[in-house]
Amino acid sequence: DIDEVADVSRQELILYPNPADNHIRVVNEDMDGLLDIVIYDMTGRSMLTDHVQAGEVLIDTGEFPEGIYIIRLTDQMGRSASGRMLVSH
């Protein structure tokens, strides 16, 4: 129902290590199947867009400038989860 979708939409991601240096693991156990992942910088610019399988994903952050980023996962039904990461080299 609509309440369940709203609950998933507010779901936080598990991100570690955070702050990240060369990589970060992104974990969301509440979503299944193929997911869209987008990483935005604080100006809203998309730094990475990809398709990943649900579960644990390893993202290479070695080329990202130091700063704060928003990671958003969206499933095939439009439900999303997001989290904030800090990149510090």
Side-chain angles (χ1 to χ4, degrees):
D1 71 16
I2 291 175
D3 290 334
E4 291 176 17
V5 171
D7 287 345
V8 172
S9 294
R10 289 189 302 264
Q11 178 66 34
E12 291 288 325
L13 298 175
I14 299 168
L15 305 170
Y16 67 94
N18 197 3
D21 183 5
N22 293 316
H23 69 275
I24 193 162
R25 293 186 188 280
V26 180
V27 180
N28 183 294
E29 299 172 350
D30 295 328
M31 301 171 89
D32 296 314
L34 189 63
L35 307 175
D36 293 327
I37 185 169
V38 182
I39 300 178
Y40 300 97
D41 67 11
M42 293 310 290
T43 68
R45 181 175 53 155
S46 173
M47 300 295 291
L48 173 88
T49 301
D50 205 351
H51 304 288
V52 297
Q53 285 295 324
E56 185 174 309
V57 179
L58 184 66
I59 302 293
D60 180 1
T61 57
E63 298 296 318
F64 283 46
E66 290 189 347
I68 299 171
Y69 297 86
I70 302 296
I71 300 176
R72 179 176 300 272
L73 291 178
T74 307
D75 69 10
Q76 300 294 318
M77 297 179 65
R79 297 177 298 183
S80 65
S82 61
R84 186 179 297 203
M85 75 169 175
L86 173 65
V87 174
S88 179
H89 303 292

